[in-house]
């Protein structure tokens, strides 16, 4: 148990930021993403025997977090319904991230956001991304191209020449 | 893929400041609570039954819930009023599961209005500092760094709502803000000494107040 715990702790520390960024990019709300990622890591630990053997454990966490959905989070952490006419929780923002980028991401279809997040923040290649999402590799490429094209139209050009050497698979 | 790199790097860079501060110990704690609840076979119905049982005291006319808006009578010291109609409690606060505390809020017209002071005192007896308000909800600025999800695990019951509160997961210097509305409850962790933003709606705060001057209906 101690060794497994240490192993999971290492995994958690190495993965939590990238998982949070990936989920935030998809859901567009940092607070919501943090709750969902925390719950997903809890489930990962509870099923660590299985998750540790997964081809991409971080992707398992991200997919689990995304599958939890907004309704789960509202139900569990923001409001406790006492009757049938509950008011909705207010939308939150993703502090620390350029609002223009969040807005541009929100305009993308959910599947495109998901592909983008897995490729950018988890560094998954096309094949693994396809397996994780359950679509064909060609479809991953198509989603990625459309997402990048849309973001290129929506976002101001980057002025970060130092990033030009960074390579994304 | 090179034509994608610039945009993808821009996105990556924009998110680079986003970090998850929750320590791994919190993950282990959450799973322990979950496993304990599974092992003990604790269900929402059981929580409701336990809470209701604790809230009920015997009267000469039969079973009657505890006094309105009050915490349940301590076990072993049932109140025995000889007269008067049965009154229902708006809430109950009980020990368990494990080291946690279970708060149940009952709903429906037959239940009395929540007494925020009584609830605050009942939670305090279980080591949970709270700000309880009725018809308004308060957040602190800045917000507490800890996540509410690490502290409160709510579930809906037929007769109300149960919240398992892990008081030990509350960082020192924080309190649980409970805003009780007709039909729902809103909760947050707030920092002691921080300014409070209180709202009577689900939208923007209706008032901005300081801890030393809190013009809200409720008790700190």
């Amino acid at each position: 148990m101690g060794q497994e715990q240490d192993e999971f702790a290492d995994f958690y520390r190495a993965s939590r930021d990238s998982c949070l960024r990936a989920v935030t990019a998809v859901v567009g709300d940092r607070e919501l993403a943090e709750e969902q990622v925390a719950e997903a890591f809890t489930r990962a630990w509870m099923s660590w025997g299985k998750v540790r053997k997964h081809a991409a454990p971080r992707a398992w966490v991200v997919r689990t977090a995304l599958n939890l959905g907004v309704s789960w989070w509202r139900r569990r952490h923001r409001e406790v319904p006492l009757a049938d006419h509950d008011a909705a929780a207010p939308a939150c923002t993703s502090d620390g991230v350029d609002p223009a980028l969040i807005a541009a991401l929100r305009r993308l279809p959910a599947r495109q956001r998901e592909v983008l997040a897995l490729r950018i923040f988890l560094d998954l290649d096309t094949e693994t991304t396809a397996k994780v999402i359950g679509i064909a590799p060609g479809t991953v490429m198509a989603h990625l191209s459309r997402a990048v094209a849309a973001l290129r139209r929506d976002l101001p050009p980057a002025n970060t020449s130092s990033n030009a050497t960074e390579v994304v698979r | 893929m090179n034509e994608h790199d610039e945009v993808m790097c821009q996105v990556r860079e924009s998110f680079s400041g986003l970090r998850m501060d929750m320590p791994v110990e919190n993950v282990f704690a959450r799973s322990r609570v979950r496993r304990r609840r599974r092992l003990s076979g604790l269900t929402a119905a059981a929580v409701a039954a336990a809470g209701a049982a604790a809230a009920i005291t015997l009267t000469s006319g039969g079973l009657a819930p505890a006094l309105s808006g009050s915490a349940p009578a301590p076990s072993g010291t049932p109140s025995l009023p000889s007269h008067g109609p049965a009154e229902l409690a708006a809430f109950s606060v009980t020990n368990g599961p494990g080291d946690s505390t279970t708060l149940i809020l009952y709903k429906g017209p037959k239940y009395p209005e929540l007494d925020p002071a009584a609830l605050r005192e009942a939670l305090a007896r279980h080591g949970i500092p709270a700000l309880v308000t009725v018809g308004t909800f308060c957040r602190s600025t800045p917000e507490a760094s800890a996540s509410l999800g690490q502290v409160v695990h709510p579930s809906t019951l037929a007769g109300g709502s149960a919240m398992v509160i892990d008081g030990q997961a509350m960082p020192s210097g924080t309190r649980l803000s409970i805003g009780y509305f007709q039909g729902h409850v809103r909760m947050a962790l707030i920092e002691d000494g921080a300014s409070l933003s209180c709202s009577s709606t689900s939208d923007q705060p209706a008032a901005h107040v300081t801890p030393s001057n809190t013009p809200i209906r409720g008790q700190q």
Side-chain angles (χ1 to χ4, degrees), chain B residues 131 133 136-143 175 177 179 181 186 188-191 193-201 203-211 213-216 220:
Chain B
L131 166 65
T133 53
T136 187
F137 174 63
C138 297
R139 290 174 174 278
S140 64
T141 307
E143 293 191 341
R175 280 177 296 162
S177 173
F181 292 85
R186 304 191 68 205
L189 281 180
I190 57 177
E191 295 273 4
S195 296
L196 296 179
S197 297
C198 301
S199 169
S200 57
T201 70
D203 305 318
Q204 296 301 314
H208 186 74
V209 294
T210 61
N213 179 24
T214 308
I216 52 177
Q220 288 199 67

Side-chain angles (χ1 to χ4, degrees), chain A residues 14 23 49 156 169:
Chain A
V23 175
R169 281 175 295 159

Side-chain angles (χ1 to χ4, degrees), chain B residues 52 67 78 87 97 118 152 161 180-181 185 214:
Chain B
L67 291 176
E87 289 189 70
V152 180
S161 294
Y180 186 94
F181 292 85
V185 174
T214 308

Side-chain angles (χ1 to χ4, degrees), chain A residues 37-116:
Chain A
V37 170
E39 175 63 17
F41 270 114
T42 302
R43 295 183 184 194
W45 168 235
M46 295 179 75
S47 304
W48 185 235
K50 179 186 80 177
V51 176
R52 66 197 294 228
K53 295 175 188 161
H54 192 275
R58 290 188 304 161
W60 187 96
V61 171
V62 169
R63 283 290 285 170
T64 301
L66 294 176
N67 286 341
L68 291 169
V70 174
S71 59
W72 168 87
W73 179 77
R74 283 183 177 161
R75 190 170 64 246
R76 287 186 67 85
H77 297 312
R78 294 300 297 276
E79 294 195 350
V80 181
L82 293 177
D84 297 331
H85 52 278
D86 302 328
C92 299
T93 57
S94 295
D95 49 322
V97 181
D98 181 4
L101 174 58
I102 291 292
L105 287 169
R106 279 179 168 160
R107 284 192 287 273
L108 298 177
R111 184 49 59 85
Q112 288 184 23
R113 286 199 301 266
E114 195 171 349
V115 167
L116 201 66

Side-chain angles (χ1 to χ4, degrees), chain B residues 10-93:
Chain B
Q10 191 177 349
V11 175
R12 176 182 288 183
E13 189 66 21
S14 292
F15 281 79
S16 62
L18 212 55
R19 299 190 183 283
M20 187 150 178
D21 298 324
M22 187 177 85
V24 71
E25 287 74 20
N26 288 29
V27 176
F28 295 140
R30 286 168 69 122
S31 67
R32 273 197 300 275
V33 170
R34 205 75 53 82
R35 286 188 173 117
R36 213 158 41 214
R37 285 156 71 185
R38 278 185 190 170
L39 286 173
S40 65
L42 181 69
T43 63
V47 173
I56 288 173
T57 56
L58 284 171
T59 70
S60 58
L63 284 175
L67 291 176
S68 166
S70 66
S75 63
T77 58
S79 60
L80 295 168
S82 56
H83 301 291
E87 289 189 70
L88 298 169
F91 69 88
S92 71
V93 179

